[in-house]
Amino acid sequence: MRKITALLLAMLGAHPAFGWGVEGHQLVVRIAEGLLSPAAKTDVRGALAPGEKLEDLASWADEVRRTHREMEPWHFVDVPLGSAAFDWQRDCAPDDCIVAKIPAFEKTWQDRTANAAARREALLFLAHFAGDLHQPLHCADNHDKGGNDVAVNFLGEATKLHTLWDSGLINHMPEEEALFAMLQQAITPQRVAEWSAGTPEQWCNESFHAAEATVYGLLPPHATGAPVELGESYARAAQPVIEVQIEKAGVRLAAILNRSVR
Ligand SMILES: [Zn+2]
């Protein structure tokens, strides 16, 4: 799968700031699907064309944003590092950020009178934005375009901090099937109950705090402008954060889809 993902990315033209790479977004959707009620499963299946799989469409929103630049801000929110938390006025006016888009698309998804194309699109946006919201750098900014301006050298490979968190670190973790099994195992019923509560705003603040504590907090001292040297110790600290963020994203996507058929 990783080879296919790499090929797909090469075909698409690698682009920074796209949220978890294809693999991360697929993992989120696969975790969510495992937690759907039978009614929610039927609901989701009914919104897709025959043969379509939600996990294959988890990065569709990143593809359409190439031609719909107005959708660009929907994928993230720049909460400034050093601030207390997400602030609607400062960070999301006029409701043009991920924290506003998730409830907006949930509303369309829940609206059974909405036309089928609009509901399908709402589902695809929800499936994708649940992932993006949990990529810490999609809810944090250090005057560096969410880490896109921070050059890093990860185990000898030149990349950007944002790209490292989208896919570089995941590629350094166990391969997709092993990772999926590991993540699924960690999701206890107690965690499902705990994580399903809250709002996209609160979930965004969790990402923001993960960015503060880990993504930026564990960067070694470096000269301005010089690439930051990162290695195994950074990867070891990042891995549990990535795992729990992907788990939470999957659980919360399931919660959104499950409550629409209650
Ligand atoms: Zn995205």
Side-chain angles (χ1 to χ4, degrees):
M1 179 51 77
R2 197 162 279 157
K3 260 190 205 143
I4 298 169
T5 302
L7 185 69
L8 188 68
L9 282 177
M11 279 159 53
L12 292 172
H15 191 298
F18 269 19
W20 300 117
V22 172
E23 180 175 345
H25 279 290
Q26 273 180 340
L27 285 166
V28 169
V29 169
R30 290 178 68 188
I31 288 166
E33 281 182 321
L35 297 167
L36 291 183
S37 67
K41 249 181 222 167
T42 307
D43 200 19
V44 166
R45 209 176 302 126
L48 299 174
E52 274 187 338
K53 282 166 76 182
L54 192 55
E55 67 172 275
D56 296 334
L57 296 165
S59 293
W60 168 85
D62 277 339
E63 288 159 38
V64 293
R65 75 189 257 188
R66 288 163 202 284
T67 45
H68 293 267
R69 304 313 284 189
E70 76 282 4
M71 294 178 182
E72 190 98 358
W74 301 2
H75 293 247
F76 64 92
V77 61
D78 281 339
V79 183
L81 231 61
S83 61
F86 168 84
D87 181 294
W88 281 102
Q89 280 302 316
R90 184 193 59 209
D91 305 328
C92 199
D95 282 357
D96 206 24
C97 82
I98 189 164
V99 177
K101 287 297 162 188
I102 290 177
F105 283 118
E106 181 177 358
K107 215 171 147 203
T108 306
W109 175 243
Q110 287 182 341
D111 179 6
R112 317 237 152 218
T113 64
N115 76 54
R119 278 193 86 231
R120 177 180 179 277
E121 225 176 77
L123 173 66
L124 301 191
F125 277 122
L126 284 171
H128 181 81
F129 291 156
D132 276 354
L133 187 74
H134 289 79
Q135 205 282 41
L137 286 173
H138 278 240
C139 284
D141 179 61
N142 192 25
H143 307 292
D144 58 4
K145 302 196 181 76
N148 277 300
D149 289 344
V150 182
V152 305
N153 213 330
F154 178 60
L155 296 169
E157 202 176 312
T159 182
K160 298 284 196 248
L161 187 61
H162 191 106
T163 313
L164 182 69
W165 277 83
D166 273 351
S167 53
L169 290 162
I170 293 180
N171 290 341
H172 194 62
M173 285 158 71
E175 62 80 34
E176 185 167 341
E177 287 315 309
L179 185 55
F180 177 59
M182 212 169 84
L183 299 177
Q184 267 204 319
Q185 242 169 29
I187 301 172
T188 59
Q190 193 193 338
R191 282 185 170 159
V192 171
E194 190 189 317
W195 291 342
S196 297
T199 62
E201 179 177 345
Q202 290 165 332
W203 303 340
C204 179
N205 280 326
E206 290 176 10
S207 287
F208 172 67
H209 292 307
E212 273 194 321
T214 306
V215 180
Y216 289 103
L218 298 182
L219 290 184
H222 55 279
T224 322
V228 189
E229 295 291 335
L230 297 177
E232 290 294 349
S233 70
Y234 188 84
R236 261 197 307 278
Q239 183 166 331
V241 175
I242 290 176
E243 286 170 17
V244 88
Q245 287 301 103
I246 290 179
E247 289 160 10
K248 283 179 174 176
V251 165
R252 288 163 177 169
L253 173 59
I256 288 171
L257 299 176
N258 282 335
R259 71 186 174 213
S260 81
V261 282
R262 225 173 259 162

